Amino acid sequence: MMKKLLYLVHRLPYPPNKGDKISSNNMLNYFSARWRVHLGTFVDDPEDWQYVDLVSSKCEDCCIVNLPGWRRLTGSFSGLVTGQALSLSYYGNRELQDWVRTTIEHECPDAVLVFSGVMGRFVRDLLPAHVPVIFDAEDVDSEKWRSYGDSARWPLSWLYRREADKLLAYERKMAASTSVTLFVSEEEADLFKTLAPESADKTHFRTQGVDSVYFDPSVELDNPYEEGQRVLVFTGAMDYRPNIEAVTWFCDNVFNTIREKEPSFLFCIVGMKPTDEVRQLDNIPGVRVTGGVPDVRPYLSHALAACLPLQLARGIQNKALEAMAMSLPVLATDDALVGIIDHPGVLSHVANSADEMSRLALTILSRPRQANTAGRACVQEHYNWDTNLKRMESFLLREEDVH
């Protein structure tokens, strides 16, 4: 008989159109084929309600709760009053809590997978000691907020540092109270071990995956660019602060130098929900902001390189792996490539200053597109979802289940 898995994830694991949903969707696909999944999650984007039936069809049971945008304000106020991290207050929900409690009492799950730390609150003190619990933190979220605090002005700097301190305390409690804490890269795991040494012996890492059948450079796709354009492309959710900072930094510090020497240069920003700040970049001649697109592959297929000038990055970047799967060279900062295996021959051009990025970009733009075949080979060898999730599953199986 298939075992029961209680799977808690902070937003509906479909569609796989941003980093965390790529991970959570692949986890759902993997485990629903092998376990009876009881899914508890939120819908924080009204457009995602159309996918609820699809997600539900993969599960034994679901509790899918609406999380309206106004909760950010009320949750933040509640967090300040109660002394909690604002992120935790935002996700507090009685309906989901009651469903989790009932599911644990009536279904007696064999294991629990908590995807994103904020969901751990729902199982605290409810599970028998013998039930394995994975806390998949993805990255050290508290450090992201600390980085925001270091670069912001008061009072935001105070608010961000407060969030960092509160979240770190919560992350440490989660790690101490669960069987295993997983991060998306060895670097993130090592960082957390220094922040939570009491849980170092049960802190591990997993690896991202890429669907290299879908991201296949041999598939012929229509060119979305104008004839003669020499394109560097950035992909990612454009309401996410590190992505916003990356493209604005590039346009402010690098773009003009390249455009002056290569008038056919196009910097194409592809991603859902661009903020007003990002949309304004579309007014710059030679910059294109697409908004959400049904398929990102044509934009990768017909560019000369993926340009990933991230100034702040946590974990492994899906955008880098997807470009590599499409045999696309990558021009990036060190931060954008953290956690990706150093595979021989991969065409990754690293630039951490505006001058260096301009120089390398002009070199890429001056020649025909190079096929990053080693990049695709790296993805196929090291970033297969089923292989990586099988290792994750081993943490959910008790020793007697393995033998």
Side-chain angles (χ1 to χ4, degrees):
M1 181 180 294
M2 294 174 71
K3 292 183 176 296
K4 299 177 185 179
L5 176 68
L6 176 59
Y7 180 28
L8 301 177
V9 56
H10 67 301
R11 58 168 61 97
L12 190 78
Y14 197 88
N17 56 5
K18 59 193 305 182
D20 64 275
K21 295 179 80 168
I22 291 171
S23 296
S24 61
N25 175 65
N26 278 282
M27 289 176 190
L28 177 60
N29 291 339
Y30 179 89
F31 286 107
S32 64
R34 297 161 176 83
W35 296 63
R36 294 162 59 192
V37 175
H38 295 259
L39 172 69
T41 190
F42 293 102
V43 172
D44 61 358
D45 183 342
E47 293 183 6
D48 284 355
W49 281 108
Q50 63 185 301
Y51 305 116
V52 164
D53 288 345
L54 173 63
V55 170
S56 298
S57 69
K58 302 177 182 181
C59 302
E60 181 89 1
D61 183 33
C62 291
C63 179
I64 301 175
V65 179
N66 185 47
L67 191 63
W70 54 261
R71 276 282 300 164
R72 294 190 182 278
L73 181 60
T74 58
S76 296
F77 178 75
S78 174
L80 287 172
V81 170
T82 61
Q84 278 190 322
L86 307 188
S87 309
L88 298 179
S89 298
Y90 175 51
Y91 285 98
N93 185 271
R94 182 172 296 175
E95 178 184 353
L96 185 57
Q97 183 65 78
D98 290 344
W99 176 85
V100 170
R101 183 178 292 107
T102 300
T103 299
I104 291 173
E105 290 175 355
H106 293 174
E107 298 296 335
C108 303
D110 296 287
V112 178
L113 172 55
V114 175
F115 183 89
S116 179
V118 294
M119 301 302 289
R121 62 187 297 154
F122 294 105
V123 295
R124 185 177 295 165
D125 301 325
L126 294 179
L127 290 163
H130 69 272
V131 176
V133 181
I134 283 185
F135 168 31
D136 187 317
E138 285 280 280
D139 49 39
V140 186
D141 201 36
S142 56
E143 283 300 287
K144 176 184 70 178
W145 289 102
R146 200 169 306 284
S147 296
Y148 290 168
D150 291 343
S151 60
R153 294 181 178 179
W154 194 91
L156 284 179
S157 59
W158 170 82
L159 187 66
Y160 292 156
R161 288 178 182 132
R162 176 193 182 276
E163 186 73 357
D165 292 339
K166 297 290 185 181
L167 272 180
L168 177 58
Y170 174 78
E171 289 165 344
R172 292 180 70 169
K173 287 181 181 178
M174 278 294 300
S177 64
T178 52
S179 310
V180 175
T181 299
L182 290 181
F183 290 91
V184 76
S185 70
E186 187 173 9
E187 289 80 1
E188 288 292 296
D190 287 345
L191 171 61
F192 189 71
K193 289 176 183 179
T194 67
L195 298 171
E198 68 280 1
S199 298
D201 61 338
K202 53 180 182 174
T203 297
H204 302 274
F205 68 95
R206 63 170 179 83
T207 304
Q208 285 295 88
V210 177
D211 185 347
S212 57
V213 175
Y214 181 77
F215 288 97
D216 182 353
S218 68
V219 176
E220 292 190 12
L221 300 162
D222 291 339
N223 190 347
Y225 307 120
E226 296 178 10
E227 186 177 353
Q229 287 183 322
R230 311 284 291 168
V231 183
L232 299 181
V233 62
F234 181 96
T235 59
M238 294 317 304
D239 58 350
Y240 181 51
R241 178 170 173 172
N243 289 345
I244 297 168
E245 291 180 348
V247 297
T248 53
W249 177 86
F250 184 87
C251 289
D252 289 343
N253 298 283
V254 181
F255 176 80
N256 286 337
T257 301
I258 301 172
R259 181 79 170 178
E260 287 172 2
K261 297 181 180 178
E262 180 52 75
S264 61
F265 170 50
L266 174 70
F267 181 48
C268 190
I269 302 168
V270 181
M272 58 189 286
K273 298 184 178 179
T275 61
D276 289 342
E277 184 178 4
V278 175
R279 289 188 182 278
Q280 288 298 315
L281 301 177
D282 194 58
N283 296 323
I284 302 172
V287 177
R288 178 181 172 190
V289 178
T290 68
V293 298
D295 189 348
V296 73
R297 293 175 301 168
Y299 295 88
L300 296 171
S301 181
H302 293 278
L304 291 174
C307 181
L308 310 178
L310 291 163
Q311 307 300 299
L312 169 65
R314 302 241 62 92
I316 294 177
Q317 297 298 308
N318 289 286
K319 54 178 67 71
L321 294 176
E322 290 169 358
M324 291 164 61
M326 292 290 289
S327 293
L328 184 65
V330 176
L331 170 61
T333 56
D334 273 322
D335 279 355
L337 299 175
V338 167
I340 296 178
I341 289 170
D342 188 10
H343 191 89
V346 172
L347 294 177
S348 296
H349 309 276
V350 179
N352 292 311
S353 69
D355 288 345
E356 186 69 3
M357 187 157 286
S358 300
R359 184 185 67 79
L360 289 174
L362 285 167
T363 299
I364 292 168
L365 295 169
S366 69
R367 58 196 180 200
R369 176 180 168 179
Q370 294 180 291
N372 189 9
T373 54
R376 179 167 175 80
C378 175
V379 166
Q380 291 177 311
E381 181 177 347
H382 298 288
Y383 298 96
N384 175 274
W385 271 116
D386 279 2
T387 300
N388 295 331
L389 290 177
K390 186 175 182 179
R391 179 172 180 265
M392 176 188 233
E393 185 181 24
S394 69
F395 291 115
L396 291 171
L397 298 171
R398 296 188 298 271
E399 187 174 349
E400 62 264 30
D401 299 325
V402 178
H403 296 293

